[in-house]
């Protein structure tokens, strides 16, 4: 194993009405709607994405600082081990949320399930695993 750094490059950014961590929904199972803008060089990678489908959005918690081993669940619930939560302050500040696509307009994707801040860098999009 090596201790080399890992470098990610955003594929796009979230455009959200939320600009404060305290006022952002605590999970993606909400009905808040927003949109993301994907870099045009990835337009071909979006060719099979469909309205109504669920996807996993992987993003970088770019405004998170530090972390604790135990945190309140959903921000105000019982104290829980960090790895059993979706808390934004993590050893590697990477977030994953399930979203549902409402509209696709070229490289812009409107979706519900936003729990990210405005300007959040998107690292990847994957189809949601269906059970």
């Amino acid at each position: 194993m090596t201790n080399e750094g890992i470098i990610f490059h955003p594929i796009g950014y979230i455009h959200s009405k939320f600009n404060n961590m305290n006022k952002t929904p605590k999970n993606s199972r909400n009905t808040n709607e927003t949109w993301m803008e994907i870099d045009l060089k990835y337009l071909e990678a979006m060719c099979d994405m469909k309205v109504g489908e669920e996807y996993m959005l992987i993003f970088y918690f770019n405004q998170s600082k530090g972390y604790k081993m135990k945190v309140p669940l959903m921000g105000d619930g019982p104290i829980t081990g960090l790895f059993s939560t979706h808390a934004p302050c993590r050893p590697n500040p990477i977030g994953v949320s399930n979203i549902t696509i409402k509209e696709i307009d070229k490289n812009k994707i409107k979706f519900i399930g936003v729990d990210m801040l405005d300007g959040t860098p998107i690292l990847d999009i994957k189809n949601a695993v269906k059970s």
Side-chain angles (χ1 to χ4, degrees):
M1 261 194 225
T2 65
N3 288 328
E4 294 179 28
I6 299 170
I7 299 171
F8 291 99
H9 300 282
I11 63 167
Y13 293 89
I14 298 294
H15 297 283
S16 163
K17 66 181 179 181
F18 303 109
N19 55 18
N20 179 315
M21 272 197 266
N22 296 327
K23 295 183 180 180
T24 304
K26 302 299 182 206
N27 67 60
S28 62
R29 295 291 180 201
N30 64 68
T31 58
N32 289 296
E33 190 174 275
T34 197
W35 58 283
M36 67 179 105
E37 188 169 358
I38 304 302
D39 190 307
L40 284 169
K41 70 182 178 183
Y42 299 110
L43 194 58
E44 187 176 353
M46 296 171 51
C47 70
D48 293 316
M49 294 180 79
K50 294 180 177 57
V51 170
E53 293 286 319
E54 191 171 308
Y55 292 84
M56 294 183 298
L57 191 59
I58 302 163
F59 54 93
Y60 173 56
F61 285 118
N62 61 316
Q63 295 188 36
S64 294
K65 305 286 185 249
Y67 65 94
K68 295 179 181 176
M69 297 295 180
K70 292 185 175 181
V71 297
L73 186 63
M74 304 289 279
D76 59 4
I79 298 300
T80 307
L82 177 64
F83 295 154
S84 295
T85 75
H86 281 244
C89 296
R90 315 186 69 77
N92 291 300
I94 297 169
V96 178
S97 292
N98 285 358
I99 63 160
T100 302
I101 294 185
K102 300 308 277 180
E103 182 182 327
I104 300 172
D105 182 13
K106 199 172 178 182
N107 65 323
K108 294 180 180 146
I109 302 170
K110 185 182 283 189
F111 65 95
I112 58 171
V114 61
D115 58 354
M116 311 98 194
L117 296 173
D118 186 51
T120 296
I122 302 164
L123 301 176
D124 203 356
I125 303 169
K126 298 179 181 287
N127 66 321
V129 178
K130 295 181 172 79
S131 50

